[in-house]
Amino acid sequence: MVKIKKPKTYTSLEDGLTSQQVATQVQKGLTNVQIKKLSRPIPKILADNLFTLFNLLNLIIAILIFWTGSYRNLFFLGPVIANIIIGSYQEIRAKITVDKISLVNTQNFTVIRDKHKQEIPIDQLVEDDIVMVKRGDTIPADGIVRYSNGLQINESSITGESDTIAKQIDNEVFSGSFAIAGQAQIQLTQVGHESFVSKLSSAVGKEKRSVSVLMKIINNIIKILTYTIIPIGLLLFFRSFLKNGDVAQSILGTSASVIGMIPEGLVLLTAVALATGSYNLSKRNILVRSLSAIETLARVDTLCLDKTGTITTGKLTVKKTLTYQDMDTNKVQAIATKIVEATQETNATALAIKNLNVAAFQTDVQEVIPFSSETKYSGFIDEANVKYIMGAPEFIIKNPVPEVTRTVEKAAEKGFRVIAILKENSQQTLLGLLLISDEVRPQAPSTFSYLKNQGIDLKIISGDNPVTVANVAAQAGIATGNNYIDMSSVTDDQDYHELVKEYKVFGRVRPSQKADLIKAMQDNGLTVGMTGDGVNDVLAMRQSDCSVAIAGESDAAEASADFVLLNRNFDSMIFMLNEGRRVINNVERVASLFLIKTIYSVVLSIFFIILGTGYPFQPSQLTPINALTVGIPTFILALEPNYTPPAGRFMRNVMEIALPSAICNIIFIIVISILGRHFNYNFATTSTLSVFTIGIIGYCALISISNPLIVRKKVMIAISFALFIITFIFGNKAFGLQSILTLQYTYLFLAIFLIAWPLFMFMREVLGRRVFSKINWK
């Protein structure tokens, strides 16, 4: 690992920097500017929505059409521009809201300045600041340890190794790691862009953005089209030009073909749907760190829960103190309080013990033993070399007597967390047991009941006694059937893949085991979510497909999570789940409308290349049809409530509508082309008939995906269809469409209208039975 530089000045631990020294460091630019943002900058959002392959194609097509002088065919840019504006606006609005909320959650650190402790935001720290770090804090910048009270660091985010590293005075620490035990005072030596993690990020390049399952599928479709559009477009142009010798007409026909192949609205619609989901969550005080996580959460089929702070409120109370070896209650409580004082712990258990308010235990501390999630205990060694420790009885009592074992088991069955207080010199002596209770979150039972009814398997992974965890789970309405296991008894060679199938409650789990359990679930084909609030949950949260942190407990947990519940309200999980499902289900539902024209455009282009004639219509004629049957309805339908679990059948759901619709269009348009050649219909007539067909079939598809047809959907379709008919009566000058009231051809439009629905339903039935049922869509 790269060596960090030594401090320029040896700042006093008691005094810290002066205000003048801080001002000097700020003037020099030696501030801890954070380069990693929770949301993308506005220029990046605009660039991502504007500079795409398909927008480049649209620009080239627009230039060619402009050259022909047929300006009305530039109408196709309307939906493209509208989509760019809407997509950018929604993402920017979501970004602003998320950024505002993230300010509430800005990470602060305790520093010593002007001889006083101050709370300073992470980006206002300066080089040479003395920062006080405790268990659960992330390291804000590179530095050296100036004082250590049992500091232990996890550097897995840097090295990939999850081993605990003890840090002594003058040892180096790096930004991006986090404290899992003890406290320390660290003098910052490299801040902001100079820190190790910042340099590493710059060397690697841009941060890789996670891509949702939906976007992966859509990107694959786009990749295929990329290799299809250009060669087909060029072939169609040259074939048409060689046939008719008219460059302008060939450009317009080819443009209609290429524009039809581009599902330009689908990518933007997906981005808009995800951004809208992020905005809706932000209004509930839920911080969203990744848009794709909204979709991932909706696909979660197994949710792993930490007990303390997640199922329970984390407000612990010492309910009873049991004493041994003729110890009195006050002395046992005083020793426990002395351990908390020595280790300077601030977790929920430590706070519960501090609240006992007993007389101080008079002894001098020689050495501190900080709490670690791996060892499950903390303590100190006094001047007489006597060790006092407290922690989980199963971990620290070496030779428990049956009476103590039964007492611990009975307490655990009642839902108590049991803490043992021991003294060790020549031998180990049990001094007492603290029975600590936690309260189940009031909204937890209804939340877990809803999640279970939605088909989500709930598992609890906790560092507490498995019997205690199972009892608390029962209070929260999670049926475990006493199906629990003590992970401290599991050997290293145990097959976790079988354990996660068999058990629902995992107790006495070390942090590394939590991550291993989740990895085993993922290996078994599950999509795993993890909720937690403590530093012991971080490794598991990073391993999970989607993680949720309760705010206010651990900076490291919040930094690792995809979602942070700033309101600490666990029933927000229901809204989060439903919002993700709404996004997925609605995008899957409307995607077929975008791909109808892609399919028929590719097939018709190949057909007319072979036939040697021009494309049957121009871009301007198709513009209002696309807007009325696809563009406007999809943005409305994408906001519909739809909370059913995703079926994981994107391609089948899309093709069940898109393919029958495209085949109907192909059949109609080929028949119209043949009839037009036979009866010598002019281009205006055949093109209008073709576009009218595309519109009518579009409405067949729109009605199918709109089920159930509630009143507002009926109104939307009725208004759209009325505008559609008006377009075909008065759209001659604007769009180049022949009026359907031309009596000589009215019967043809009527025939298309009457045949379209039966043909569409017939094709759906045939393809559904003969084709779709036999295809493996995975």
Side-chain angles (χ1 to χ4, degrees):
M1 186 172 288
V2 178
K3 291 288 183 182
I4 61 176
K5 64 182 181 181
K6 296 298 180 183
K8 295 176 183 176
T9 59
Y10 206 70
T11 309
S12 166
L13 292 180
E14 293 76 21
D15 299 345
L17 296 177
T18 65
S19 298
Q20 182 58 45
Q21 288 174 321
V22 171
T24 301
Q25 299 291 61
V26 171
Q27 278 187 336
K28 293 179 180 178
L30 300 177
T31 57
N32 198 38
V33 176
Q34 300 297 294
I35 63 171
K36 184 177 180 181
K37 302 296 183 183
L38 295 180
S39 59
R40 293 184 294 154
I42 290 177
K44 184 73 167 63
I45 292 174
L46 293 174
D48 285 349
N49 280 296
L50 187 60
F51 301 113
T52 66
L53 172 63
F54 288 135
N55 283 346
L56 176 62
L57 284 173
N58 283 322
L59 177 62
I60 293 172
I61 292 168
I63 292 171
L64 292 172
I65 291 174
F66 185 84
W67 178 81
T68 67
S70 182
Y71 303 124
R72 70 184 179 192
N73 280 295
L74 292 172
F75 278 125
F76 82 93
L77 287 175
V80 175
I81 295 171
N83 282 339
I84 293 171
I85 293 172
I86 293 171
S88 300
Y89 170 74
Q90 291 281 16
E91 284 203 70
I92 290 171
R93 187 173 71 166
K95 168 201 162 51
I96 292 172
T97 304
V98 168
D99 286 351
K100 284 180 180 177
I101 290 179
S102 68
L103 290 176
V104 179
N105 194 45
T106 298
Q107 191 173 346
N108 290 336
F109 286 85
T110 302
V111 301
I112 300 174
R113 290 181 180 176
D114 295 321
K115 302 182 181 181
H116 297 290
K117 294 180 182 179
Q118 302 179 29
E119 291 292 319
I120 301 295
I122 187 172
D123 57 353
Q124 293 182 23
L125 298 174
V126 299
E127 188 175 294
D128 290 327
D129 253 330
I130 300 295
V131 180
M132 305 181 74
V133 175
K134 63 182 183 302
R135 177 174 176 265
D137 286 347
T138 53
I139 306 302
D142 298 348
I144 62 167
V145 178
R146 295 286 306 280
Y147 163 79
S148 175
N149 182 7
L151 179 66
Q152 296 178 25
I153 294 290
N154 182 292
E155 296 180 347
S156 59
S157 60
I158 300 172
T159 65
E161 301 293 333
S162 59
D163 296 337
T164 298
I165 302 171
K167 295 289 184 179
Q168 308 298 329
I169 292 176
D170 290 335
N171 285 172
E172 302 166 345
V173 291
F174 298 89
S175 58
S177 56
F178 59 93
I180 63 172
Q183 299 85 32
Q185 292 181 1
I186 297 170
Q187 183 173 0
L188 304 184
T189 57
Q190 292 176 152
V191 295
H193 300 292
E194 294 300 313
S195 69
F196 175 77
V197 167
S198 294
K199 288 183 176 179
L200 184 64
S201 299
S202 299
V204 171
K206 295 182 180 179
E207 179 186 1
K208 182 180 179 182
R209 295 174 62 202
S210 58
V211 181
S212 70
V213 175
L214 275 179
M215 289 306 297
K216 284 180 182 176
I217 295 173
I218 293 168
N219 287 340
N220 285 336
I221 295 172
I222 290 172
K223 190 181 295 183
I224 294 170
L225 288 174
T226 301
Y227 297 108
T228 304
I229 290 175
I230 296 175
I232 288 179
L234 291 173
L235 282 173
L236 183 63
F237 170 78
F238 286 114
R239 192 77 169 90
S240 176
F241 176 69
L242 292 173
K243 184 77 174 179
N244 58 37
D246 189 336
V247 176
Q249 187 66 30
S250 298
I251 287 175
L252 294 176
T254 303
S255 299
S257 165
V258 172
I259 292 168
M261 293 184 213
I262 303 173
E264 70 276 346
L266 184 55
V267 176
L268 284 171
L269 179 70
T270 305
V272 168
L274 290 170
T276 304
S278 172
Y279 173 73
N280 290 338
L281 290 174
S282 69
K283 290 195 295 185
R284 295 292 188 101
N285 243 16
I286 301 168
L287 179 63
V288 183
R289 295 191 181 277
S290 167
L291 289 182
S292 62
I294 297 172
E295 179 191 338
T296 305
L297 177 63
R299 297 186 188 277
V300 164
D301 48 36
T302 303
L303 183 62
C304 296
L305 309 160
D306 179 47
K307 179 181 76 70
T308 306
T310 303
I311 298 176
T312 63
T313 61
K315 296 176 181 177
L316 305 183
T317 306
V318 178
K319 290 294 186 182
K320 192 174 184 180
T321 303
L322 305 178
T323 62
Y324 299 88
Q325 305 298 327
D326 298 325
M327 294 286 291
D328 63 68
T329 299
N330 287 338
K331 188 167 185 180
V332 170
Q333 292 180 349
I335 293 172
T337 303
K338 185 69 176 181
I339 292 173
V340 171
E341 178 187 317
T343 58
Q344 301 178 31
E345 278 292 338
T346 58
N347 59 35
T349 303
L351 293 176
I353 293 172
K354 278 184 179 179
N355 290 334
L356 291 172
N357 293 322
V358 293
F361 179 59
Q362 300 299 325
T363 188
D364 292 329
V365 176
Q366 178 178 298
E367 182 183 339
V368 174
I369 304 169
F371 177 80
S372 167
S373 299
E374 295 287 335
T375 62
K376 305 293 186 187
Y377 69 84
S378 60
F380 66 87
I381 300 174
D382 69 8
E383 75 280 2
N385 211 34
V386 177
K387 182 191 291 186
Y388 293 92
I389 61 173
M390 71 175 182
E394 302 93 324
F395 279 76
I396 65 175
I397 300 178
K398 295 176 182 177
N399 298 300
V401 298
E403 178 190 351
V404 172
T405 301
R406 284 194 297 271
T407 300
V408 171
E409 290 175 350
K410 287 181 180 179
E413 288 171 1
K414 294 178 181 179
F416 287 109
R417 171 183 289 185
V418 183
I419 303 294
I421 313 297
L422 280 73
K423 179 175 74 172
E424 293 182 358
N425 39 29
S426 59
Q427 62 181 11
Q428 187 184 79
T429 305
L430 174 64
L431 303 179
L433 299 173
L434 301 181
L435 306 188
I436 301 177
S437 69
D438 198 352
E439 60 178 354
V440 174
R441 289 183 180 274
Q443 66 273 26
S446 60
T447 301
F448 294 137
S449 175
Y450 179 85
L451 295 176
K452 179 184 176 183
N453 292 335
Q454 292 298 306
I456 296 177
D457 187 22
L458 301 174
K459 293 184 183 292
I460 306 174
I461 303 178
S462 174
D464 281 350
N465 185 302
V467 180
T468 301
V469 178
N471 182 278
V472 171
Q475 295 177 39
I478 303 175
T480 62
N482 292 328
N483 193 8
Y484 55 79
I485 183 173
D486 186 336
M487 291 298 292
S488 64
S489 63
V490 174
T491 59
D492 293 337
D493 60 351
Q494 181 77 43
D495 185 1
Y496 281 25
H497 298 88
E498 294 301 319
L499 287 181
V500 296
K501 291 179 183 177
E502 185 176 353
Y503 296 102
K504 285 188 173 293
V505 174
F506 301 85
R508 296 300 181 208
V509 188
R510 297 192 304 273
S512 58
Q513 286 180 317
K514 287 189 178 186
D516 291 340
L517 288 169
I518 289 179
K519 177 65 166 59
M521 295 178 204
Q522 292 168 328
D523 290 343
N524 288 345
L526 300 175
T527 303
V528 185
M530 175 70 194
T531 67
D533 68 337
V535 65
N536 58 322
D537 301 316
V538 170
L539 296 178
M541 293 170 73
R542 287 178 176 169
Q543 177 63 50
S544 68
D545 297 292
C546 182
S547 54
V548 181
I550 310 295
E553 297 298 328
S554 167
D555 295 331
E558 293 175 34
S560 302
D562 297 304
F563 302 92
V564 181
L565 303 182
L566 300 178
N567 54 9
R568 301 176 57 81
N569 189 359
F570 191 70
D571 64 357
S572 297
M573 285 292 299
I574 295 176
F575 183 79
M576 293 163 63
L577 179 71
N578 287 339
E579 191 64 21
R581 289 179 172 180
R582 183 191 65 77
V583 169
I584 294 175
N585 293 330
N586 286 336
V587 171
E588 285 190 359
R589 180 170 62 176
V590 302
S592 55
L593 295 181
F594 289 96
L595 294 178
I596 292 171
K597 69 187 185 76
T598 298
I599 297 171
Y600 76 68
S601 295
V602 171
V603 175
L604 287 177
S605 297
I606 295 172
F607 175 79
F608 286 107
I609 288 172
I610 296 171
L611 197 63
T613 60
Y615 205 67
F617 47 82
Q618 296 180 354
S620 65
Q621 296 173 306
L622 203 57
T623 297
I625 313 309
N626 286 337
L628 293 171
T629 63
V630 181
I632 297 172
T634 55
F635 277 100
I636 295 174
L637 292 175
L639 301 177
E640 286 288 307
N642 189 345
Y643 306 137
T644 57
R649 324 185 314 167
F650 179 84
M651 286 308 299
R652 176 164 184 169
N653 289 344
V654 168
M655 296 308 290
E656 280 181 346
I657 299 295
L659 191 57
S661 301
I663 291 174
C664 289
N665 282 326
I666 292 165
I667 292 172
F668 269 118
I669 292 172
I670 289 175
V671 170
I672 290 169
S673 178
I674 293 171
L675 289 176
R677 290 166 67 90
H678 182 74
F679 292 106
N680 292 319
Y681 294 154
N682 59 32
F683 179 79
T685 301
T686 55
S687 61
T688 302
L689 286 168
S690 297
V691 173
F692 183 82
T693 296
I694 291 170
I696 294 298
I697 297 297
Y699 280 110
C700 293
L702 179 59
I703 291 170
S704 296
I705 70 165
S706 297
N707 283 319
L709 285 171
I710 57 178
V711 174
R712 64 173 174 268
K713 292 180 185 177
K714 290 178 179 178
V715 171
M716 175 193 74
I717 294 172
I719 293 174
S720 174
F721 190 74
L723 293 173
F724 175 79
I725 296 300
I726 291 171
T727 300
F728 276 89
I729 295 175
F730 303 105
N732 183 30
K733 290 185 178 180
F735 305 110
L737 295 169
Q738 182 175 290
S739 174
I740 60 174
L741 298 182
T742 304
L743 296 180
Q744 182 181 357
Y745 303 109
T746 301
Y747 74 95
L748 292 174
F749 291 103
L750 185 60
I752 292 170
F753 178 80
L754 295 174
I755 296 171
W757 180 258
L759 179 62
F760 171 75
M761 294 304 295
F762 173 76
M763 293 306 302
R764 283 196 68 184
E765 180 71 16
V766 170
L767 290 174
R769 286 188 176 182
R770 301 287 178 87
V771 180
F772 297 139
S773 62
K774 298 179 181 179
I775 296 177
N776 183 1
W777 294 92
K778 291 184 179 180

